[in-house]
Amino acid sequence: MLSALTTVVSITPKPTRRVVLDPFKISYTCDKQRQAVAELVDEFSITPSALVTIKDHFIHELKKGLAKDGETLAMVPVFVSGRLDGSESGSFLTLDIGGTFLRVVFVVLTNGQVTKQQKKYSIDEDLKVGETKVLFVDEHAIKVPAGSEIDLGFTFSFPVLQTTINSGTLIAWTKGFSCPGGVGKDPAALLQDALHKQNMHVRVVSLLNDTVGTLLAHAYQYKNTVIGLGLGTGSNAAYIETVDRITKRKGSMEFATGIKEMVINMEFGAFDKEKIILPLTMFDNKVDRKSLNQGNQIFEKMIAGMYLGEITRNILVNLIDRRLLLDGRSTKEICKVWAFDTSYMSTIEADETPDLDDTRFVLESYLGFASSDPMATLTSTSTSVATSSSSSFTDRQIIKIIVGLVGKRAARLSAMAVAGILEHTQGVGWTEDDGADIGVDGSLFRFYPGFEDDMKEAIEDIFTFEKSCTIDISKIQMRPRLDGSSVGAALCALLAGKTAAVPSSSE
Ligand code: BGC
């Protein structure tokens, strides 16, 4: 079920440098190979002009989502309003069910100072597709001292149609989760039930998306925060919207209270479900077909950590099948769906050894292209399975180029979304005098070499090319923000405060 990984706050290694190869300067073994790589470069590169076109469509979809429920971009108002000033204080428990991990954190906020005690668990694959109730029930997760009562901020990083600050309805599972009995239910109520059943005196006072937590945690430190961005296993953003523009809620009771701004959970991973604007390749379509949520989260599947390795694997297998890579040899490992972890891409991107030894290491250690394992030769039964010689230098160069194409495309498309939100909110949620702060969580932004730089370059490309909107990008500060599901969730619990009712039973 849940296996404890660590009980301390993790330390973030700095992302390594990205080392780029020029696809037009390497020596290919034949023209067909050169041609195949040139085609990939063409398919995966997104020009500034194309980025602007996609960004315009993104803004169009964003506005549709603000005007009407049921649109591709859900644009969920999350009942968090008002800006923070850093003076907020209190003690809270937070629980985060995200993608890869479940975290429980006890957070104490004292006028901008934060102390935390954290427990982190990995979520088994079985749990991701097992009964929803089981996901909420595991009693290892929370330990509350007997007799005490505490408020809990619940970060649930899936598309939820929020009905109050501590209730909502799960619209769909994403990121490889598919627990029966979850869609249509209120995650906060499910959690509250589970806690009651275990006789825990914990009130679930807020339900929030991880990007909302990122936004709040960043705003606690930087008052000009406009966007909370999530670029990890999945991808999404939350931003501060003026209530007047959330036209689909005009006239509703909660909106008649005079509040001027509200946080919106965009659920932008769903962008272009219709497949009309994104430059999808056959490799992306293959990923979509193999996923548990086929036809959904199309944008997320081009940019999120869960999918980048699989896109890369599809390209490699295609070249192998055409005998243009690795002498046409494949291995059990490379043939396995989802077997190419996105972290391998980071290693390959950062490889600056003259012979690309780190790339060779990935091929040999994780993908079965072993060069010197005599046992592999003896135990192999299939002639098409690689057993003896490993990769050539050209193979490794091509692999590095392909990884670079997939990674850079993801960064540029992620930047397109940021540019779209900035353009939409300019002059309303932020002004150029004050600038805009963006807090970013997620493994891609933190660990993928060059991701942040590629994003910045793309934002610059967009606003240089875009004639109708000028944004001085020196006024935009994008910084990592890692404590959304602890500090952000605690702040959300604080904002929910005493007003939130304990969620009703899920039954
Ligand atoms: C979910 C979002 C979440 C994002 C990042 C997506 O798959 O739909 O709700 O914010 O992943 O975790």
Side-chain angles (χ1 to χ4, degrees), residues 98-365:
T100 315
F101 300 108
L102 183 151
R103 287 185 202 85
V104 185
V105 190
F106 181 68
V107 185
V108 181
L109 305 173
T110 332
N111 295 315
Q113 300 297 312
V114 181
T115 55
K116 296 187 278 189
Q117 282 173 282
Q118 165 168 295
K119 277 208 170 223
K120 190 170 166 185
Y121 305 83
S122 66
I123 302 179
D124 279 3
E125 292 307 312
D126 290 356
L127 212 54
K128 292 184 181 173
V129 292
E131 270 296 317
T132 299
K133 278 191 179 166
V134 181
L135 183 64
F136 285 83
V137 145
D138 202 290
E139 73 288 349
H140 302 300
I142 300 181
K143 294 268 175 280
V144 185
S148 61
E149 164 132 329
I150 189 157
D151 287 352
L152 179 138
F154 178 26
T155 309
F156 187 68
S157 310
F158 299 95
V160 166
L161 202 57
Q162 201 109 10
T163 37
T164 67
I165 198 162
N166 67 339
S167 66
T169 309
L170 176 64
I171 305 171
W173 290 110
T174 58
K175 297 178 283 198
F177 280 69
S178 176
C179 304
V183 173
K185 295 273 169 53
D186 178 355
L190 287 169
L191 178 64
Q192 188 69 74
D193 276 359
L195 295 168
H196 277 156
K197 285 193 181 124
Q198 291 166 56
N199 290 323
M200 289 184 181
H201 300 287
V202 178
R203 289 199 329 156
V204 181
V205 295
S206 64
L207 170 67
L208 67 153
N209 187 260
D210 51 346
T211 56
V212 176
T214 302
L215 175 71
L216 291 175
H218 210 61
Y220 196 46
Q221 189 173 358
Y222 301 103
K223 71 175 173 42
N224 295 325
T225 299
V226 185
I227 303 174
L229 191 62
L231 298 174
T233 310
S235 30
N236 188 17
Y239 74 99
I240 301 175
E241 182 58 282
T242 47
V243 161
D244 283 354
R245 301 208 294 186
I246 313 173
T247 48
K248 64 181 172 187
R249 291 287 176 275
K250 265 207 172 131
S252 68
M253 252 212 341
E254 322 82 55
F255 280 71
T257 51
I259 47 164
K260 299 242 175 317
E261 293 180 325
M262 188 168 279
V263 175
I264 296 282
N265 166 18
M266 299 185 75
E267 287 299 335
F268 76 33
F271 175 57
D272 202 29
K273 184 178 193 294
E274 306 75 17
K275 299 192 178 179
I276 53 180
I277 197 90
L278 289 169
L280 286 158
T281 64
M282 63 182 264
F283 310 107
D284 300 297
N285 288 327
K286 277 194 156 186
V287 170
D288 181 34
R289 265 185 230 119
K290 291 278 180 204
S291 65
L292 291 178
N293 53 348
Q294 202 229 326
N296 291 313
Q297 301 293 103
I298 297 300
F299 183 48
E300 175 165 86
K301 287 173 188 164
M302 294 177 90
I303 63 172
M306 173 159 176
Y307 304 100
L308 298 187
E310 180 60 9
I311 300 172
T312 305
R313 191 192 69 84
N314 282 335
I315 303 174
L316 300 187
V317 168
N318 176 277
L319 291 182
I320 289 170
D321 287 351
R322 291 159 66 197
R323 299 196 159 268
L324 299 175
L325 191 71
L326 294 156
D327 284 334
R329 291 168 297 116
S330 63
T331 60
K332 213 169 59 259
E333 291 82 354
I334 198 119
C335 293
K336 206 165 143 205
V337 181
W338 308 115
F340 195 107
D341 200 277
T342 301
S343 65
Y344 306 162
M345 295 175 72
S346 296
T347 306
I348 295 171
E349 289 271 25
D351 189 357
E352 53 185 348
T353 60
D355 287 336
L356 298 181
D357 289 329
D358 297 340
T359 305
R360 189 203 318 262
F361 176 81
V362 170
L363 286 168
E364 294 185 358
S365 306

